[in-house]
Amino acid sequence: MAAAIARSPALEALFIAPGNPGTAALGTNVAIAVDDVPALVAFARAERIDLVVPGPEAPLVAGLADACIASGIPCAGPSRAAAALEGSKSFTKEICDAADIPTARWERFDTAAPALDFVRRRGAPIVIKADGLAAGKGVVVATTVAEAEDAIRSMMDDATLGTAGQSVVIEECLMGDEVSLFAFCADETAVLIGAAQDHKRIGEGDTGPNTGGMGAVSPPAGFDRARQEAALDLLVRPMLAEMVRRGTPFRGVIFAGLMLTADGPKLIEYNVRFGDPEAQALLIRLRSDLLPALASVAAGTLDAADIRFSDDHSISIVLAARGYPGKPGAGGVITGLEQAEAQPGVHIFHAGTRRDDQGRLVAAGGRVLTVCATGSTLGDARARAYRAIPAIHWDDAVWRRDIGDRALRAASAGDAPSDAR
């Protein structure tokens, strides 16, 4: 997001909180935690900031947009009440039921015993979700009853996800291709941004535990703009109308995770912001100016938003620290980024990185870097990204080697997408 905003000719100054070594080249990093709402608002007031663009979900759920608006600062993100679409899985399900939005059958549980009884009666496969925010780690697609029981006990009895897992939502397991749909929203208006396809599990062949995302491709195979617009009509615009009806209108970026089932698209979840690694794959294809589009979201004047993408295909591949998504290691020295990014069409974005006391770039998180590439075809983009990775020297790096394989198979079968505008 910072890289896309930095390209705007309208930009005078860009501040990123808290930032990382990658964003330091795009603007000014500010040492304020993302969930320190009072400090963020105080900084924005002191610097006479014209627009606040929230990146992650935590400050939105904590009320950053409300605090900005109360201080007269435009914010391109939803209120605390509207951010509950991501902050509470059960709230989203209630909205779906009220707005007649297709989604998986579900139940919410506040204690473990009835939840365990429920999965024993329903059987597997079945999906266990922490009701609260869990940084992309609160979903278990259980293939056996025993796995579902372990997930419930871990979340509810052992509190491995903290307060996020005090309540759980248990859903039927939807089958099909999962895609991510993005739109700018203001009240009852939604303007399509585009779509991507994430790869959630840690291992090749979609094996192992879910993560925050190990890579993405854009556009997804078989989900062209006509189908994306139809999905907006089915799964996003009714939600916006229901939020307005409740007096909690939504303004911001909506990321709708969908399952393309045999019965049509069904909603898996809403995120109330650009998500990664999908955002990286999407925004490197953006050819229009992101900054005025975000300003129009904050002002509620979306009809004038200009959103245009190249005809290119793109891919993002996450380099994570060994041990992710459990207990990743930290501190490993990273070199070779300049050589990797010098290759045609390649872009590298930082996530969990920092500079040590010797000025060296080191790993400081679970997902550390995202290697992205564009190309005239997905095959071209994929080859470029995977050629760039060996130029990066970091002993503890792990990554999936099959990002985009499924989309390439779909394209070769004649179901190639068209997501250009």
Side-chain angles (χ1 to χ4, degrees):
M1 289 176 65
I5 291 169
R7 296 196 297 265
S8 175
L11 182 69
E12 295 179 4
L14 177 62
F15 300 91
I16 307 101
N20 60 37
T23 60
L26 302 168
T28 302
N29 287 345
V30 180
I32 302 175
V34 295
D35 56 354
D36 190 346
V37 171
L40 291 169
V41 174
F43 178 85
R45 291 180 65 183
E47 293 292 334
R48 301 180 182 273
I49 296 297
D50 296 303
L51 180 66
V52 171
V53 183
E57 65 276 22
L60 291 167
V61 172
L64 175 60
D66 310 73
C68 286
I69 292 167
S71 296
I73 304 165
C75 181
S79 66
R80 182 202 301 262
L85 287 166
E86 183 168 359
S88 170
K89 301 293 190 299
S90 58
F91 177 78
T92 286
K93 290 294 190 178
E94 291 165 4
I95 293 293
C96 287
D97 290 349
D100 200 24
I101 294 170
T103 190
R105 295 189 300 273
W106 67 285
E107 296 283 348
R108 171 185 159 141
F109 298 90
D110 296 321
T111 55
L116 292 167
D117 180 64
F118 182 81
V119 299
R120 289 163 186 158
R121 286 186 286 108
R122 287 298 178 95
I126 198 163
V127 180
I128 315 299
K129 294 183 176 181
D131 192 32
L133 293 179
K137 302 174 186 176
V139 178
V140 175
V141 181
T143 57
T144 66
V145 169
E147 189 179 357
E149 291 174 337
D150 287 345
I152 291 167
R153 293 190 183 101
S154 174
M155 292 180 192
M156 304 191 80
D157 292 339
D158 301 337
T160 54
L161 299 176
T163 58
Q166 286 180 340
S167 299
V168 299
V169 169
I170 303 180
E171 301 181 357
E172 68 170 321
C173 185
L174 298 176
M175 299 297 180
D177 283 333
E178 186 174 348
V179 297
S180 305
L181 183 69
F182 293 80
F184 290 123
C185 301
D187 304 328
E188 294 194 48
T189 301
V191 175
L192 180 64
I193 298 172
Q197 186 168 52
D198 191 11
H199 298 64
K200 286 286 187 189
R201 292 181 180 263
I202 187 68
E204 277 86 8
D206 294 318
T207 58
N210 270 348
T211 71
M214 292 301 294
V217 298
S218 178
F223 194 55
D224 62 18
R225 292 199 74 88
R227 294 179 182 180
Q228 294 169 32
E229 285 285 3
L232 277 185
D233 286 339
L234 182 68
L235 304 169
V236 173
R237 293 187 174 106
M239 174 274 289
L240 295 176
E242 176 63 17
M243 295 295 283
V244 168
R245 188 191 70 79
R246 292 178 176 225
T248 54
F250 184 94
R251 287 189 180 184
V253 174
I254 200 72
F255 162 166
L258 320 179
M259 188 69 78
L260 304 180
T261 76
D263 299 323
K266 293 188 178 183
L267 185 83
I268 300 172
E269 64 180 359
Y270 292 121
N271 289 344
V272 297
R273 34 83 201 188
F274 277 115
D276 65 310
E278 297 96 333
Q280 289 92 328
L282 268 176
L283 293 178
I284 59 174
R285 296 178 51 233
L286 186 67
R287 291 297 172 264
S288 52
D289 193 339
L290 181 61
L291 185 54
L294 292 168
S296 71
V297 168
T301 56
L302 264 180
D303 291 339
D306 175 28
I307 305 164
R308 287 172 285 110
F309 285 84
S310 75
D311 293 329
D312 287 342
H313 292 250
S314 61
I315 189 169
S316 59
I317 301 167
V318 170
L319 272 59
R322 196 175 309 279
Y324 178 77
K327 295 182 178 179
V333 176
I334 303 167
T335 61
L337 296 191
E338 296 82 2
Q339 293 84 346
E341 200 163 22
Q343 301 186 44
V346 172
H347 311 261
I348 297 177
F349 297 103
H350 294 236
T353 65
R354 65 176 179 84
R355 296 284 180 188
D356 66 10
D357 54 10
Q358 300 178 51
R360 299 177 302 179
L361 185 70
V362 298
R367 292 184 295 170
V368 175
L369 297 167
T370 307
V371 178
C372 304
T374 56
S376 59
T377 67
L378 176 57
D380 290 340
R382 185 181 186 278
R384 287 174 167 181
Y386 277 113
R387 278 199 301 265
I389 289 175
I392 300 171
H393 301 288
W394 170 33
D395 291 341
D396 295 327
V398 294
W399 65 92
R400 283 183 55 167
R401 290 162 174 81
D402 64 345
I403 303 299
D405 282 3
R406 183 171 49 197
L408 284 173
R409 288 195 297 269
S412 65
D415 200 9
S418 174
D419 191 30
R421 175 189 255 183

